[in-house]
Amino acid sequence: DPTRWQKGGLMDLPTLEHLEEEEDVEAPGNSGGGVGLSDEAIHDLCFQHHDAIQEFETQILSNIFPSNDNNPNYKICRLPPNVVLGETVSPLTANAPIAGDVYSYHIDADPNMTPPSPWTDIYGRYMNRSRGKPRFMSCLVYLNDEWKYDEWGGPTRFLDVATDTYYDVEPKPGRVVIMDQDITHSVVAPKEEGSVGKRPRYSLVWKLILHPVREGQDMTFRRFHEMNIWPKPILWGSAQRGNEDEHESQTDL
């Protein structure tokens, strides 16, 4: 429904004023907000029943993060609204960049930068992927039924800050991208030229928290790769500097 999308609706960035004051940390920038769902539409997606949302969370996510009742790998939930990062970050968000839009690099969240809250009182601040700690992840789904990437562009761009190199993920209908919320990335607007016109590139993002089920649990996904449940990681930037067996990709396609 095009009436549910609005310019400036994509303002879904963590608020880091508490760290700016304490440690001279600069909050991630934005360009004034891109095209996103209205607050009412996001609230509806988050708190009302929708068959497609339910199917994705109960069936598709269970295939992405395979487990069984007798030996679960994680307990997965949406990012609790207002509890972890305040009112600025919702459990679901969506964007629809069009030609001419400009977006800045940003992160979705970082458990090492959580504001004072009951969550931080319980878990503290810690590096994402730490053993035995909840892992912050985002699950991005491309929604267009058709997307001619060579002609229209519009990738999701991931930045390796250490080497100043980037990796572009091509939007494909129904493609799912799993990424840590603390990886630096950006929306790239569709190309100005070609037949794309003002066609938006739609996507929906789940903000997820993977809770460990065992004390000191390894929160990486090595076993998924070793069991061929997930494809071999794509290593790029600083991840290529060491032994591939000792590194884990932060972005899995």
Side-chain angles (χ1 to χ4, degrees), residues 92-205:
L92 292 171
T93 190
N95 61 46
I98 58 176
D101 285 349
V102 177
Y103 295 87
S104 300
Y105 283 112
H106 66 279
I107 61 172
D108 288 346
D110 186 342
N112 203 34
M113 295 182 174
T114 55
S117 66
W119 172 277
T120 305
D121 290 342
I122 293 172
Y123 295 104
R125 293 173 181 158
Y126 58 91
M127 300 297 292
N128 208 14
R129 300 169 296 284
S130 294
R131 280 185 171 270
K133 294 283 191 177
R135 182 168 177 172
F136 285 39
M137 303 204 71
S138 290
C139 182
L140 181 153
V141 184
Y142 297 111
L143 302 178
N144 292 75
D145 292 333
E146 177 188 31
W147 194 260
K148 301 177 182 179
Y149 179 69
D150 291 340
E151 183 179 350
W152 299 341
T156 302
R157 178 164 293 172
F158 294 91
L159 176 68
D160 182 68
V161 178
T163 59
D164 196 28
T165 57
Y166 63 82
Y167 184 87
D168 284 348
V169 174
E170 173 185 343
K172 292 184 177 181
R175 167 170 272 183
V176 176
V177 179
I178 304 296
M179 61 182 176
D180 284 307
Q181 291 188 28
D182 58 328
I183 187 171
T184 305
H185 63 285
S186 176
V187 177
V188 177
K191 298 176 181 178
E192 293 273 6
E193 64 275 8
S195 63
V196 66
K198 290 298 182 180
R199 182 194 302 264
R201 195 268 281 154
Y202 293 105
S203 63
L204 183 64
V205 179

Side-chain angles (χ1 to χ4, degrees), residues 219-240:
M219 296 303 290
T220 68
F221 299 128
R222 297 181 191 278
R223 59 188 176 280
F224 288 172
H225 297 298
E226 293 169 353
M227 298 169 62
N228 295 320
I229 295 173
W230 285 11
K232 185 178 179 181
I234 298 171
L235 301 177
W236 57 278
S238 55
Q240 292 179 320

